[in-house]
Amino acid sequence: MESNLFLINEMNKNVLIEYLRIESFKYGFNNYFSYILARLAGTESERVFRFIIVLRLCEYFGSRKGLINRLLFFCFKLKKSRLGTRYMIKIPEYLCNKGLYITHLTGGILLNASKIGNNFTCNSGVQIGYAGKHENKPAIGDNVTFCSGAKAYGGIHIGNNSVVLANSVVTSDVCDNAVVGGIPAKPV
C-alpha cells in the first residue's frame, strides 16, 4: 500500500488531472456540461465534488515551488476551510489517494488517518483518528468502505477491500476482504 500513495513532490498537473477525472466519474460527472447542470441545480454530489476539487488544488499548489503557487495554495486552503466548515468535512491535504468518494454531507466527516489508499468510500458521520497520541492514527488500505457513523481509532490497519458497517467502532486491525461491524468491530 505504501507505493500507491503519492508523495508531496509527485503531485504534478498530470496527476491532478487523473485524480479529478477519476473522482468526477465517481460523482457521475462524465463531462463538464453535466457538472455545470449539477452546479446550477445545487445537488449534493456537486457540493461534495466542489470540496474534492478544492482539496486536490490545495495538494497541487502546496507541492509546487514559487511565490504565486504559495499564494494560490493559501487561497485554496482558505476556500477548503470555509467549505469544510459549511459542509462539516475535515480532511487534511495529502491524505487520500485517488478515488475518494463521499456519499453524503450530513452528519460530519473527520478523516485524520496516517494514510488512506485508492477508492476510499465514506458515508456521513464517519470519524477516523488517533487515540491518545498523535502518532497512533489508522492506516486504511485500497477499496475500503466506511458506512454511516463508522469510527476507527488508534494505530490500527484496515486491510484492502474491507467494509466497516454502520455505527461500528474499529479499535483493532482488520484483515483484507473483511466485513466488520459492532462495538467493538468484529468480523461478521
Side-chain angles (χ1 to χ4, degrees):
M1 188 176 77
E2 292 270 340
S3 61
N4 290 340
L5 294 171
F6 63 85
L7 300 173
I8 292 174
N9 58 3
E10 290 182 11
M11 184 59 130
N12 57 32
K13 192 173 185 178
N14 294 331
V15 173
L16 174 68
I17 290 169
E18 177 191 357
Y19 277 40
L20 289 177
R21 183 185 54 78
I22 290 168
E23 288 160 353
S24 68
F25 283 121
K26 282 188 163 255
Y27 287 98
F29 305 126
N30 301 330
N31 53 36
Y32 189 69
F33 183 70
S34 62
Y35 175 72
I36 293 298
L37 286 178
R39 178 100 194 228
L40 290 173
T43 63
E44 185 178 38
S45 61
E46 181 276 325
R47 289 180 289 185
V48 175
F49 186 59
R50 187 175 353 146
F51 177 84
I52 300 295
I53 290 172
V54 172
L55 172 70
R56 297 306 184 191
L57 288 171
C58 269
E59 294 170 349
Y60 174 72
F61 288 114
S63 65
R64 318 248 333 139
K65 295 179 181 171
L67 180 63
I68 300 296
N69 290 322
R70 285 279 126 198
L71 289 173
L72 287 170
F73 168 72
F74 287 116
C75 289
F76 281 111
K77 188 156 177 88
L78 178 64
K79 179 74 172 173
K80 183 178 88 76
S81 175
R82 292 181 69 209
L83 286 174
T85 302
R86 182 182 302 159
Y87 302 143
M88 295 185 292
I89 301 174
K90 174 76 170 130
I91 303 174
E93 294 89 16
Y94 313 110
L95 175 65
C96 301
N97 212 348
K98 61 185 170 189
L100 173 63
Y101 182 63
I102 299 171
T103 56
H104 299 290
L105 290 174
T106 57
I109 296 167
L110 173 64
L111 302 181
N112 194 11
S114 62
K115 56 190 160 215
I116 296 177
N118 293 327
N119 301 318
F120 177 71
T121 302
C122 175
N123 288 297
S124 62
V126 170
Q127 295 181 4
I128 300 171
Y130 57 87
K133 299 178 183 176
H134 288 285
E135 57 270 0
N136 287 340
K137 295 180 183 179
I140 299 171
D142 295 338
N143 305 316
V144 174
T145 300
F146 270 69
C147 296
S148 296
K151 292 154 183 54
Y153 299 116
I156 61 173
H157 181 272
I158 298 175
N160 298 331
N161 306 314
S162 298
V163 176
V164 180
L165 297 177
N167 296 321
S168 301
V169 178
V170 182
T171 56
S172 60
D173 290 347
V174 176
C175 60
D176 291 351
N177 305 314
V179 178
V180 296
I183 303 174
K186 295 180 176 133
V188 177

